[in-house]
Each structure stands twice: as structure tokens, then as C-alpha cells.
Amino acid sequence: MNIIKVKDQAEGGKKAFELIQSAMKERNAKVLGLATGSSPITMYEEMVKSDVDFSDMVAINLDEYVGLSETDSQSYRVFMNENLFNKKPFKNSYVPNGMAKNAEEECERYDSIIEENPIDLQILGIGTNGHIGFNEPGTPFDSLTRKVDLVESTIESNKRFFEKKEDVPTQAYSMGIGSIMKAKEIVLVAYGESKVNALKGMIEGEMTEDCPASALQKHPNVTVIADEAALAGLSSL
Ligand code: GLP
């Protein structure tokens, strides 16, 4: 894994956007896999500020909460619209449908979208427990899109975005680790001391389903952009 140490999240956002631009220029990247959470926000700010045109590009998001509609202010669809798509239109932007009546059909639909639009560059954040997307510890490395149960620590970390903990959905649709691994390039952003153990497990730990992000050790093109606090647990840097 290539590790880029940045001084703060603002610099991290710039670096991540530079990698997107290189992929667009050098590899003619047309499909971006995108992530929610607070970590990629500065990258979206850079994209919005730039004069880069994304209108012939496709965006495929990692996940969505089950039970939240695409107009619910807490949904990942609204997060993406507000932080990026409303300001920088893409040709198509896909987010799982949290209100789908039939979960199995929704997962198949989403997997077909990923199949038809191979991801050139996938942006990831990381959960404090090492999850990527909403692939919690124990997720098979070859998994596809599924309806998942969120673990207590994820609900606890994500409650900051909701009025109260009881409002945090307990399930989500998530792109699988198998699909994430098929992306040609992966850029993972992580900041702050709460991510120390997750990054240590991902980069230096054993490759195990207990740390979903450790699957990335097998991927040939991963860049981790992180600040000093998040990288503090690494023995070599
Ligand atoms: C959620 C998202 C993940 C994200 C994680 C970390 O669980 N499903 O994709 O990586 O939050 O979020 P943050 O960047 O806010 O720490």
C-alpha cells in the first residue's frame, strides 16, 4: 500500500482529488466509486471548487441506510446530493435504494450496475472497527451487495449525525468487499486518533475478516491518505 501522510484533512482532500484527476487524465477514468462519512468531505469540497467537468462520468456509492428514503435528510443519497451532485452533476449517480421493497432484487440491481460500470477509482473511508462501506467485521472478502446489520460500535459512531441514537437505522445496503476489490484503484482517507487501530489492522495486521479493510492488502493499487494521528499506531513509516 502506498501511504501519503498529510498534515490535516484539508490537505488530504486536495491529495485525494489529485489522484482522481490523474486517473481521469492518465487512464481516462469514467467511473468513480464514492463514499460517505465525514472523511471524504474535504475531497468533495475540492471537486466542487474545481473547474473539472464530471458530466460524462458515473458515480456509484458504497451504501445506504435501510428505511431512509432518498429525500430523508439523513440518507446517504441526500448527503451525496448536497456535498457533490447538486453542485457538480455526473452523467449518472447511483446509491442503493434504502426503501426497496425487495432486498434481494435491490442487491441484484446494484450488483448489475457495478458490473456494467466497472469502477476505475474507489474512494473509501474506514470505520473505527475496520469496516469499509458497511462491511462489518466477519464479512467474507468475496461478498457482493447485501443487506447488513450494523454493529453496535457503528451505530454508536454514526449517532453524531442523528438527533438521537434511536434514530440511527440498524441496517444498511452495502456494496460487498468483493466488488470493492475489483476497482482498478482504491484511495482510502482516514483522519484522527479514532482510526489508529483500524489503520494498524488494515496495513500491518493479519489479513482477516475480523478487520474488513485488511482485504485491501491483496489489492495492487491502494493509496492511503491519512494524518499523523491516524497513522500513529504503525510501527514502520
Ligand atoms: C460510515 C460509512 C463508511 C465510512 C465510515 C467512517 O460507517 N458507511 O463508508 O467510512 O462511516 O465515517 P467517518 O469518515 O465519518 O469517520
Side-chain angles (χ1 to χ4, degrees):
M1 284 184 208
N2 176 26
I3 299 172
I4 300 179
K5 185 166 155 182
V6 291
K7 67 173 188 307
D8 54 22
Q9 193 173 344
E11 189 187 345
K14 289 192 174 72
K15 290 273 177 218
F17 182 42
E18 278 168 23
L19 292 177
I20 290 183
Q21 286 178 284
S22 304
M24 288 169 70
K25 281 194 195 115
E26 288 158 24
R27 296 195 284 110
N28 196 25
K30 288 276 181 252
V31 182
L32 297 181
L34 297 178
T36 52
S38 52
S39 307
I41 285 181
T42 50
M43 185 195 78
Y44 295 138
E45 287 168 358
E46 294 299 323
M47 291 169 82
V48 167
K49 267 198 291 192
S50 76
D51 55 9
V52 178
D53 178 15
F54 299 97
S55 62
D56 66 340
M57 296 195 60
V58 172
I60 305 182
N61 260 80
L62 287 167
D63 43 18
E64 178 61 283
Y65 287 116
V66 167
L68 298 194
S69 79
E70 59 176 25
T71 54
D72 189 307
S73 60
Q74 303 293 350
S75 69
Y76 282 169
R77 164 52 82 181
V78 167
F79 175 98
M80 288 308 300
N81 287 349
E82 286 179 351
N83 283 288
L84 185 64
F85 303 138
N86 287 349
K87 300 167 187 159
K88 277 283 182 189
F90 277 57
K91 185 172 75 181
N92 281 313
S93 67
Y94 299 102
V95 179
N97 174 9
M99 298 300 280
K101 293 220 168 59
N102 183 322
E104 213 172 298
E105 275 174 27
E106 176 58 12
C107 295
E108 279 170 21
R109 181 186 77 88
Y110 214 65
D111 284 335
S112 315
I113 290 169
I114 300 166
E115 193 107 323
E116 284 157 23
N117 299 276
I119 297 172
D120 292 300
L121 187 150
Q122 175 69 53
I123 298 293
L124 294 176
I126 187 167
T128 51
N129 63 358
H131 75 217
I132 45 176
F134 267 134
N135 295 292
E136 300 284 25
T139 304
F141 285 170
D142 60 358
S143 50
L144 298 176
T145 304
R146 297 149 358 273
K147 189 181 196 176
V148 300
D149 293 326
L150 304 180
V151 302
E152 179 59 27
S153 64
T154 298
I155 293 172
E156 192 58 39
S157 333
N158 288 357
K159 75 174 185 201
R160 65 189 194 278
F161 299 111
F162 293 80
E163 219 170 277
K164 48 187 192 312
K165 188 175 166 187
E166 293 68 45
D167 294 343
V168 187
T170 56
Q171 292 185 306
Y173 288 109
S174 181
M175 186 190 291
I177 296 178
S179 305
I180 293 172
M181 290 295 285
K182 279 199 189 143
K184 295 182 191 100
E185 179 177 358
I186 294 177
V187 176
L188 184 144
V189 287
Y191 310 102
E193 60 184 348
S194 68
K195 302 293 167 74
V196 154
N197 289 334
L199 283 199
K200 189 172 171 54
M202 169 177 86
I203 299 166
E204 292 183 345
E206 186 197 335
M207 239 184 91
T208 160
E209 288 172 5
D210 294 342
C211 177
S214 68
L216 302 178
Q217 292 174 15
K218 271 256 163 77
H219 192 285
N221 190 359
V222 178
T223 302
V224 179
I225 297 174
D227 63 2
E228 191 164 8
L231 293 170
L234 297 192
S235 52
S236 59
L237 193 67

